[in-house]
Amino acid sequence: MILINHLLSLLVLLLAGAAASPPEYHEQLLLRPLHPSSLLASFNFRSNASSSSFEQQNFRFFPRSLGQILKYANTRELHLRFSLGRWDAESWGARPWGGAKEGGTGVEIWAWVEAESDEGADAQWTTLTNALSGLFCASLNFIDSTRTIRPVISFQPSGDHSNSTLQNLHLLHGTLPGEVVCTENLTPFLKLLPCKGKAGISSLLDGHKLFDASWQSMSIDVRPVCPQTGEECYLEIEQTVDMVLDIERAKRQRDNPIPRPVPFETLVCDESKPYASQDTCYPLDTRADQGWTLTEIFGRQIKGSCPSIHNEAEQPESVCLNLPHERDVFTTSGSMEHKYDSGFFRCYKLPAEQDFEIVLPQQTLALTAPLEQPLLFAERSFTGRGQERGGVQALLTNPSPTPVEFVYLESLPWFMKPYIHTLHASLSPASPPLTPLITSIYYRPALDRRRGTQLEVLMHVPANSTVVLSYSFEKAVLRYTEYPPDANRGFDIAPAVIRLTSAGPPIYLRTTALLLPLPTPDFSMPYNVIILTSTVMALAFGNIFNLLVRRFVGAGEVEGWDMSRLLARGTARFTALQTRLQRRRKVE
């Protein structure tokens, strides 16, 4: 297992402790510097409620609003993700939590719903998405049958379910890749916590900092847990917030809100360059050694420990740093530090009623925390050209010396119709594989305007190799009422989900979302036709209306008017005017 998973597993052990029954609420924050000047902040919150108290709707730390929704919709296990940005695996290494707490761009949700039939499960799924849409101020109500699939081998329940319950569980999965995650989703997320962002590590969560991150993900996982000791089962909710913050950009907002050139006298130049002189400078990259504080990164300090945690003797180590022990770290007086034998891990206990601050001065170290590489790299893009057909190409790279087996899941809209006979996997550079790369395929075709395409491929990548998975598809023509207001931007295609089938905790990867351009009509033509038609109808209607309504009579038939007298008076005035003009000409 890679190092980051070891660290996060250690966090779980620290939170759970040695007691048989876990505490009702605990929280922890992990800070890990990333290359070149980024900081990974992983917030983890856990609370639970016993099965009896959940059935009686007697909640203490478990959020009542979410619990009532789960019970009403017969949902036994829920996983909800809000993600924004792209995880740079080449620079940042393995994903936090092995990708298990990560979702695709936008909103992703999957749940196990208990129902006796597929129709009943669909009804419960609609109830669940509509209720969560209102709770989290998101567009989850737009996850209809065309955006819902039923994965077969891509997801496995993480909770403890009885055999009788498993027989009636239905897995449903939906995505909204075009959903924009913002502070409207963070606020209800914080309201589910006991301290609601007012104390504890959740007091660092600010929308301005969170959504200024290079990558961020918010997750909610609800599952039943049954201890092996035979104690009563309980329902556990785990909320996580993972973000990658740029240290330099976070500090600039306070010191220098408007980016400006660095003064020449403050530049640190590389004198080894042959062109180095008084007026030519090649700056050294000193960002990795710069210092930072919690106030500079998050804009505030930690407002003490959460009062919901038990007494100070039972309080877990709430803040942990993944740094070498040689790194100088200064904290608020009264906090307790614990360094672990690994040499790269230290944790702190928060003071009960005192703000907690961490200060890391600028320091150059020869030793840094090791960066573990992920087991698999995945990229996906469109190929081809034209408005009628296209193709999808996925590059799957295995940098490890052992083969990697995984499940590749695609959830496609109904207007993107793949040709399964064109599905092909090959090595890059081209060479015949020793064994077939694709083991099995599960394909569920789309139905126009009723359901999307579901494609699951079980395959493997040989050691130190790259596999190219590609297929062709056809674009459907939509009705003009089915186009969004920004039709020329394209249609969002959900990221592909990859689950590694290796032993141990599940490891997930998501590719980036895609923009699919479809044949788009000229929406200005209806406007032109309406204007032209209205003009023609106005002219025709006016003339016809005048002919039908207006009454035409002769000039002599008008009562009260002597036309001969009016004509003589007009002729006399005209003659008089003509005479005056002639006299003026003679005088001149």
Side-chain angles (χ1 to χ4, degrees):
M1 184 61 61
I2 55 180
L3 177 62
I4 184 60
N5 290 334
H6 279 308
L7 294 177
L8 295 172
S9 300
L10 178 60
L11 287 178
V12 175
L13 294 176
L14 291 174
L15 294 174
S21 58
E24 291 185 292
Y25 175 74
H26 47 250
E27 60 185 25
Q28 197 152 32
L29 168 64
L30 171 64
L31 300 175
R32 182 165 68 97
L34 300 175
H35 181 79
S37 68
S38 299
L39 179 68
L40 171 64
S42 295
F43 296 79
N44 181 264
F45 311 90
R46 283 191 180 188
S47 58
N48 56 69
S50 62
S51 299
S52 57
S53 61
F54 180 78
E55 293 298 330
Q56 299 172 3
Q57 297 290 289
N58 182 16
F59 301 102
R60 185 183 179 190
F61 296 112
F62 196 97
R64 177 182 297 272
S65 57
L66 184 59
Q68 293 176 344
I69 292 175
L70 297 177
K71 185 174 182 180
Y72 184 76
N74 285 338
T75 304
R76 298 295 174 253
E77 187 171 329
L78 172 68
H79 303 275
L80 180 61
R81 305 287 186 267
F82 298 90
S83 300
L84 192 65
R86 184 184 71 91
W87 176 268
D88 188 0
E90 295 182 358
S91 301
W92 302 337
R95 288 167 164 80
W97 309 98
K101 307 297 183 183
E102 177 187 347
T105 304
V107 178
E108 183 178 355
I109 179 176
W110 67 97
W112 277 266
V113 179
E114 186 175 6
E116 297 181 356
S117 61
D118 291 343
E119 292 76 11
D122 292 336
Q124 298 292 353
W125 173 256
T126 302
T127 301
L128 176 65
T129 54
N130 289 339
L132 293 178
S133 176
L135 180 62
F136 291 101
C137 298
S139 304
L140 291 168
N141 55 314
F142 285 94
I143 300 181
D144 52 9
S145 60
T146 62
R147 302 176 183 266
T148 302
I149 61 174
R150 296 173 179 267
V152 177
I153 56 178
S154 298
F155 297 95
Q156 298 296 331
S158 60
D160 300 324
H161 304 275
S162 61
N163 294 330
S164 58
T165 304
L166 285 173
Q167 295 178 357
N168 295 327
L169 289 185
H170 299 261
L171 171 60
L172 296 101
H173 177 276
T175 57
L176 284 175
E179 181 76 5
V180 179
V181 184
C182 61
T183 53
E184 293 182 353
N185 311 121
L186 175 63
T187 301
F189 183 92
L190 294 177
K191 289 184 178 180
L192 299 180
L193 300 174
C195 291
K196 305 186 186 305
K198 304 298 182 181
I201 63 174
S202 62
S203 60
L204 293 179
L205 292 174
D206 176 64
H208 298 86
K209 295 292 184 178
L210 175 62
F211 297 105
D212 186 51
S214 303
W215 173 84
Q216 64 90 11
S217 176
M218 298 188 299
S219 68
I220 296 177
D221 298 279
V222 182
R223 59 170 188 155
V225 178
C226 295
Q228 297 180 356
T229 57
E231 298 182 359
E232 183 183 9
C233 299
Y234 58 90
L235 192 65
E236 178 187 78
I237 176 173
E238 185 174 4
Q239 299 175 241
T240 60
V241 178
D242 299 303
M243 67 179 83
V244 176
L245 297 165
D246 188 286
I247 297 177
E248 187 177 6
R249 187 169 71 243
K251 296 170 63 176
R252 181 193 306 151
Q253 292 182 354
R254 177 178 295 271
D255 301 334
N256 187 12
I258 302 176
R260 296 182 178 90
V262 180
F264 182 80
E265 58 272 10
T266 62
L267 289 176
V268 180
C269 303
D270 188 357
E271 301 294 340
S272 63
K273 299 296 181 181
Y275 48 79
S277 62
Q278 295 295 332
D279 56 351
T280 304
C281 176
Y282 186 86
L284 286 174
D285 189 2
T286 59
R287 295 178 298 172
D289 302 327
Q290 62 179 328
W292 53 270
T293 65
L294 287 181
T295 305
E296 291 177 338
I297 299 299
F298 297 99
R300 62 188 70 175
Q301 301 177 2
I302 298 179
K303 304 298 181 181
S305 62
C306 182
S308 300
I309 301 177
H310 301 300
N311 58 61
E312 190 172 352
E314 299 177 357
Q315 180 182 347
E317 297 168 340
S318 299
V319 180
C320 295
L321 299 177
N322 182 205
L323 293 169
H325 287 178
E326 293 78 10
R327 185 70 163 94
D328 294 335
V329 179
F330 302 98
T331 60
T332 305
S333 60
S335 59
M336 299 178 60
E337 181 185 37
H338 178 205
K339 292 184 178 181
Y340 289 84
D341 297 335
S342 63
F344 298 97
F345 205 72
R346 68 183 82 184
C347 294
Y348 299 90
K349 285 187 177 182
L350 299 180
E353 298 180 355
Q354 185 180 0
D355 292 352
F356 180 77
E357 175 68 298
I358 296 179
V359 178
L360 279 79
Q362 185 172 356
Q363 183 181 2
T364 302
L365 294 176
L367 181 64
T368 58
L371 179 65
E372 296 294 332
Q373 295 296 327
L375 298 178
L376 188 71
F377 293 93
E379 298 178 8
R380 189 180 62 157
S381 60
F382 279 132
T383 60
R385 60 182 182 274
Q387 297 292 333
E388 185 179 358
R389 293 180 178 87
V392 173
Q393 176 179 271
L395 299 179
L396 307 166
T397 304
N398 176 17
S400 63
T402 57
V404 174
E405 187 180 29
F406 59 90
V407 179
Y408 182 88
L409 170 64
E410 286 266 24
S411 177
L412 306 176
W414 64 266
F415 48 79
M416 182 178 170
K417 302 178 180 179
Y419 297 128
I420 296 301
H421 70 278
T422 63
L423 182 65
H424 178 69
S426 61
L427 292 175
S428 177
S431 61
L434 299 178
T435 58
L437 299 177
I438 297 179
T439 305
S440 62
I441 299 175
Y442 178 83
Y443 171 66
R444 189 185 187 196
L447 297 177
D448 287 355
R449 298 175 178 85
R450 292 178 56 186
R451 75 181 185 199
T453 300
Q454 177 181 341
L455 175 63
E456 292 182 87
V457 182
L458 178 61
M459 57 184 300
H460 74 277
V461 180
N464 299 315
S465 302
T466 299
V467 170
V468 180
L469 181 67
S470 60
Y471 61 87
S472 302
F473 64 89
E474 183 182 25
K475 303 177 184 179
V477 179
L478 305 181
R479 300 166 182 165
Y480 81 95
T481 56
E482 295 175 338
Y483 285 91
D486 54 345
N488 291 291
R489 171 183 173 270
F491 290 77
D492 294 283
I493 306 301
V497 181
I498 300 174
R499 181 178 71 88
L500 276 63
T501 58
S502 57
I507 299 178
Y508 288 90
L509 287 84
R510 261 83 172 178
T511 64
T512 55
L514 299 177
L515 273 179
L516 175 66
L518 287 181
T520 306
D522 184 3
F523 288 101
S524 66
M525 289 306 297
Y527 173 78
N528 298 336
V529 171
I530 291 173
I531 294 300
L532 178 60
T533 305
S534 301
T535 303
V536 173
M537 291 185 63
L539 294 175
F541 176 79
N543 293 332
I544 296 175
F545 183 80
N546 285 337
L547 293 174
L548 294 177
V549 177
R550 181 175 295 178
R551 179 184 177 189
F552 294 91
V553 296
E557 299 179 5
V558 179
E559 298 180 357
W561 294 89
D562 189 350
M563 298 304 299
S564 58
R565 184 178 299 178
L566 291 175
L567 183 59
R569 184 179 302 175
T571 303
R573 290 184 177 179
F574 179 75
T575 304
L577 180 61
Q578 188 177 8
T579 303
R580 290 180 182 177
L581 292 176
Q582 291 177 355
R583 290 178 180 176
R584 290 182 180 178
R585 289 177 182 176
K586 291 180 179 180
V587 172
E588 294 177 355

